[in-house]
Structure formats: structure tokens, C-alpha cells
Amino acid sequence: MAVRVNTNTLMKRLFKAADLDTYLEGNESNLHSPDFYTLLKQACEKRNMLPAQVIERSQIERTYGHQLFNGTRRPSRDKVLQLALGLGLSVDETQRLLRAAGKSPLYPRLKRDAVILYGIGKKLPILTVQENLTKYGLTLLGGLKNGSP
């Protein structure tokens, strides 16, 4: 099994490589990451939770949530965040799930992201995160403007 290297090392190797083929072949074991659905299922198993429990805790519509779990729907960034909150993921686990879904990571310089990061870091329930988003006049998870039904 190849040794896993950090991102900075990969970056250095990339720019020192004679060509792209050499880099890709020499670092193949460090260039893959699990897909969104695999990470989601692993997180459920780790926490002994069923998809239905996560969907309910995430405040995602049931049918849509099951489509996310079975891979027939691609999640929006907000849905990934709702699932992360429903699962009680750490900040690092949430960022990894976002990357696996092809979504941008949370960025603490953005006010909305900072509110969400705070909630994830403090293990707040999604309802409290939504209340904080409303308090600061920010768009709720799920895309609703605060004050919308």
C-alpha cells in the first residue's frame, strides 16, 4: 500500500514533475477520493444511523433525501450541509463531504458560511443553525430567504 502524502507535498511534486503523465502515474494512489454516496453511507454506519433518521434530522423532504442516499439525485451545497448537520459531522468531515459532492468548502470569511461553520463546530441542531441564519438576515439552508414559508 502506498504512503498517503499531504496536499502540499502533492503540489510540490506536480510542479517538479517532468510532465503530467509522470506526475499522475507516480501519485495515482493519492489522487482518488471516495464519492459522495460512499462517504454519506460510511458516516451513517459510523454513527449507527439509518438514512431515514438522517433525512428527518436534516429537514430534507423524505423522497428527495432517499434519492440523495441512493445516488439518483445530486445534492446542492445546502443539501450536503443539511446532511452534515443531520449526521452531526465535524467541520473536517463536512468539508470532505462537500469536496466529494463537488461543492465549494465552507469559508469562514463569508458571513453565511461562518454561521453554518459555527453550528457544525458546536454540534448545534439544524433548527438552531436556521434560527441563527434568520437572526443575521441570511438565506436559510435549503435556499429559503428568512421569513419565507
Side-chain angles (χ1 to χ4, degrees), residues 127-142:
L127 183 58
T128 304
V129 173
Q130 297 286 48
E131 289 170 352
N132 285 337
L133 290 167
T134 297
K135 177 180 176 181
Y136 295 104
L138 302 166
T139 302
L140 298 176
L141 287 168

Side-chain angles (χ1 to χ4, degrees), residues 58-114:
S58 302
Q59 295 186 341
I60 294 174
E61 192 276 321
R62 187 180 61 79
T63 302
Y64 182 78
H66 284 287
Q67 291 171 340
L68 292 175
F69 269 91
N70 68 28
T72 59
R73 297 285 298 261
R74 291 189 51 110
S76 65
R77 185 174 188 256
D78 275 8
K79 293 301 180 220
V80 175
L81 294 170
Q82 286 176 253
L83 289 166
L85 285 160
L87 280 160
L89 298 184
S90 69
V91 170
D92 288 342
E93 290 170 318
T94 300
Q95 300 288 46
R96 188 170 183 215
L97 193 63
L98 283 164
R99 280 192 307 275
K103 307 302 175 191
S104 60
L106 289 164
Y107 187 58
R109 289 186 185 267
L110 299 174
K111 190 174 185 179
R112 182 173 187 262
D113 282 7

Side-chain angles (χ1 to χ4, degrees), residues 3-120:
V3 176
R4 185 169 169 87
V5 298
N6 67 35
T7 304
N8 288 333
T9 300
L10 285 176
M11 186 72 78
K12 289 175 186 174
R13 288 180 183 178
L14 176 63
F15 293 113
K16 286 183 180 179
D19 57 57
L20 190 54
D21 288 338
T22 302
Y23 171 78
L24 293 174
E25 290 169 12
N27 294 286
E28 187 173 349
S29 64
N30 286 292
L31 298 178
H32 69 281
S33 60
D35 62 38
F36 171 76
Y37 311 103
T38 301
L39 283 179
L40 189 58
K41 289 176 184 179
Q42 288 172 350
C44 281
E45 290 169 6
K46 181 179 176 183
R47 288 158 179 78
N48 294 316
M49 293 178 74
L50 297 171
Q53 293 171 303
V54 175
I55 292 165
E56 183 178 332
R57 288 181 54 166
S58 302
Q59 295 186 341
I60 294 174
E61 192 276 321
R62 187 180 61 79
T63 302
Y64 182 78
H66 284 287
Q67 291 171 340
L68 292 175
F69 269 91
N70 68 28
T72 59
R73 297 285 298 261
R74 291 189 51 110
S76 65
R77 185 174 188 256
D78 275 8
K79 293 301 180 220
V80 175
L81 294 170
Q82 286 176 253
L83 289 166
L85 285 160
L87 280 160
L89 298 184
S90 69
V91 170
D92 288 342
E93 290 170 318
T94 300
Q95 300 288 46
R96 188 170 183 215
L97 193 63
L98 283 164
R99 280 192 307 275
K103 307 302 175 191
S104 60
L106 289 164
Y107 187 58
R109 289 186 185 267
L110 299 174
K111 190 174 185 179
R112 182 173 187 262
D113 282 7
V115 170
I116 295 166
L117 275 165
Y118 180 84
I120 291 168

